């Protein structure tokens, strides 16, 4: 793909939002390893795929990852180490994350176009995505806040909807009339029948100065904390430490609700790009390769006379006979079994695990670290904890000594 002359003198930066609680694809995703760090669709993690599809328009060195502090030292370290990162000490939804990223980019000395993407989506038609991205960048240069709208192919209650006004520009840009949060099924069906509605993809493009101005106008409480961060930076503090000091004062609010729903500058680029937010195991089944009986089988799986079933094994052999319309996901310490169509209810499992204090919602048995990994072989139920520790060549970890514990 060639870059049009109008982009040649424009600085374009990407901000990839990589927060999350790891609940939607449990037991493979965990609180310490949300789905954007998983390899669901090939050899790369979803985050790596998100950054890769931006090239050559946006090079890797112009990609900024906004993620939680725990990921920088946890299992996601190897993925994050390839990018610039901005760490949130606590999750506060998308508006504060976008605000600190915009301020960080503005301090680099120019007013770039800022492409904001979730880290955990799949896009199959990369060429179509890049064409839409170029259209969005053109509109952002004119001072618009641009979102990507996905043409809905079914009434779905799992997405927000965006209503556009009739008509569009020659480039395909449409004006946004209103946003609707996840509707009930009857309302979603009416939206499709009426037309002019798109799924909200959560992907945005705007100039840094434009979004900061809109945050200043519509989210003064976010802007106030941002000013405290910038005041500390002017006094000699690093941006990262200033964020760590003040970020917990941010309100928890989405950029859609806090800014876009209140702003008159919002436009939409309609997209048909093979998009999925991979929001459930049913969605993973939809994008996966399938056999003649519509089964998606991943890992060490033996399926006999099964239909329309998703089975994934990370460790042990999973054998299934004569089952239909099931999701089965096996990991070293947990197995999920759910009817197809109900896999979004996995959040209920995660909530129950949190309420009981169960460790299975936090991390896997094997945990990656910058120096290597450790695998929990025996836990405190037997009065001791035994780990197998693997240190990569050149890796280094501290020797610890505590009462009742030796390493």
């Amino acid at each position: 793909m060639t870059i049009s002359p109008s982009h040649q003198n424009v600085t374009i930066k990407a901000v990839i939002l990589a927060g999350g609680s790891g609940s939607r694809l449990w037991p493979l995703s965990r609180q310490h390893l949300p789905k954007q760090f998983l390899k669901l669709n090939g050899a790369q993690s979803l985050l790596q795929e998100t950054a890769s599809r931006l090239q050559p328009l946006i090079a890797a060195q112009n990609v900024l990852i906004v993620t939680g502090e725990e990921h920088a030292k946890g299992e996601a370290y190897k993925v994050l180490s390839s990018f610039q990162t901005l760490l949130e000490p606590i999750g506060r939804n998308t508006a504060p994350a976008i605000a600190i990223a915009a301020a960080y980019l503005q301090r680099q000395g120019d007013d770039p176009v800022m492409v904001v993407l979730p880290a955990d989506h799949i896009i199959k038609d990369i060429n179509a995505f890049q064409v839409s991205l170029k259209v969005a960048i053109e509109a952002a240069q004119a001072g618009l806040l641009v979102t990507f709208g996905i043409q809905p192919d079914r009434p779905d209650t799992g997405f927000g909807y965006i209503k556009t006004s009739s008509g569009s520009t020659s480039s395909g840009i449409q004006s946004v009339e209103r946003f609707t949060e996840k509707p009930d099924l009857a309302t979603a069906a009416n939206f499709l029948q009426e037309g002019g509605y798109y799924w909200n993809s959560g992907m945005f493009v705007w100039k840094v100065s434009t979004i900061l101005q809109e945050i200043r106008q519509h989210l003064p409480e976010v802007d106030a904390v941002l000013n405290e961060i910038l005041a500390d930076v002017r006094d000699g503090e690093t941006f990262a430490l200033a964020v760590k000091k003040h970020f917990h004062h941010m309100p928890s609010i989405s950029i859609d609700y806090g800014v876009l729903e209140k702003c008159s500058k919002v436009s939409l680029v309609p997209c048909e790009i093979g998009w999925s937010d991979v929001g459930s195991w049913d969605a993973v089944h939809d994008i996966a390769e399938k056999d003649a009986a519509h089964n998606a089988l991943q890992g060490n799986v033996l399926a006999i006379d099964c239909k329309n079933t998703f089975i994934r094994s990370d460790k042990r052999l999973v054998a299934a006979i004569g089952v239909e319309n099931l999701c089965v996901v096996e990991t070293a310490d947990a197995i999920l079994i759910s009817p197809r169509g109900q896999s979004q209810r996995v959040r209920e499992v995660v909530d129950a695990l949190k309420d009981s204090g169960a460790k299975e919602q936090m991390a896997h048995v094997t945990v990656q670290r910058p120096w290597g990994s450790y695998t929990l072989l025996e836990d405190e139920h037997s009065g001791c904890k035994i780990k197998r520790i693997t240190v990569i060549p050149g890796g280094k970890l501290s020797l610890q000594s505590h009462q009742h514990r030796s390493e």
Side-chain angles (χ1 to χ4, degrees), residues 1-2 7 52-57 115 117 122-137 147-151 171-173 201 203 205 269-275:
M1 184 191 76
T2 58
H7 293 156
S52 294
R53 73 175 67 106
L54 294 167
Q55 298 179 25
L57 192 59
V115 177
L117 303 173
I122 285 176
I123 293 174
K124 291 186 175 181
D125 192 337
I126 306 302
N127 288 334
F129 166 72
Q130 293 194 348
V131 169
S132 296
L133 181 58
K134 290 172 68 177
V135 171
I137 289 169
T147 183
F148 293 76
I150 307 301
Q151 183 69 53
S171 61
I173 291 282
S201 69
M203 300 186 290
V205 182
V269 177
C271 296
E272 293 188 20
I273 54 178
W275 174 89

Side-chain angles (χ1 to χ4, degrees), residues 174-219:
Q174 299 186 20
S175 297
V176 169
E177 190 173 298
R178 67 176 179 272
F179 289 75
T180 303
E181 270 304 306
K182 300 174 182 178
D184 59 32
L185 189 60
T187 302
N190 287 336
F191 286 169
L192 265 67
Q193 185 174 7
E194 180 181 340
Y197 282 89
Y198 296 85
W199 286 335
N200 185 353
S201 69
M203 300 186 290
F204 311 106
V205 182
W206 41 55
K207 290 177 70 174
V208 162
S209 59
T210 304
I211 191 60
L212 287 175
Q213 178 183 348
E214 295 299 326
I215 288 171
R216 191 174 302 117
Q217 178 179 350
H218 299 294
L219 288 176

Side-chain angles (χ1 to χ4, degrees), residues 213-281:
Q213 178 183 348
E214 295 299 326
I215 288 171
R216 191 174 302 117
Q217 178 179 350
H218 299 294
L219 288 176
E221 61 274 32
V222 171
D223 184 60
V225 180
L226 198 59
N227 287 331
E228 292 176 357
I229 292 170
L230 294 174
D232 279 8
V233 174
R234 287 192 294 270
D235 289 340
E237 188 66 88
T238 66
F239 197 93
L241 287 177
V243 168
K244 185 177 181 67
K245 178 180 176 182
H246 296 288
F247 193 77
H248 65 280
H249 293 303
M250 287 281 192
S252 181
I253 188 168
S254 72
I255 197 70
D256 307 71
Y257 182 75
V259 172
L260 301 182
E261 293 183 16
K262 304 170 183 176
C263 178
S264 60
K265 298 179 180 179
V266 184
S267 294
L268 179 144
V269 177
C271 296
E272 293 188 20
I273 54 178
W275 174 89
S276 171
D277 74 338
V278 208
S280 67
W281 285 114

Side-chain angles (χ1 to χ4, degrees), residues 357-379:
K359 63 183 184 301
E360 286 84 0
Q361 62 91 17
M362 294 290 293
H364 287 279
V365 170
T366 296
V367 177
Q368 301 295 324
R369 286 289 184 257
W371 44 260
S373 66
Y374 68 83
T375 301
L376 186 61
L377 304 177
E378 187 67 49
D379 63 17

Side-chain angles (χ1 to χ4, degrees), residues 329-394:
V329 182
E330 181 272 348
T331 66
D333 63 342
I335 299 173
L336 171 72
I337 303 172
S338 166
R340 289 287 318 283
Q342 294 194 42
S343 66
Q344 288 196 8
R345 295 183 62 190
V346 71
R347 289 187 175 188
E348 298 174 32
V349 175
V350 175
D351 289 342
L353 293 173
K354 287 181 180 178
D355 292 343
S356 66
K359 63 183 184 301
E360 286 84 0
Q361 62 91 17
M362 294 290 293
H364 287 279
V365 170
T366 296
V367 177
Q368 301 295 324
R369 286 289 184 257
W371 44 260
S373 66
Y374 68 83
T375 301
L376 186 61
L377 304 177
E378 187 67 49
D379 63 17
E380 50 276 353
H381 295 300
S382 61
C384 67
K385 181 179 289 188
I386 303 172
K387 297 178 181 177
R388 181 177 65 243
I389 295 176
T390 301
V391 183
I392 59 177

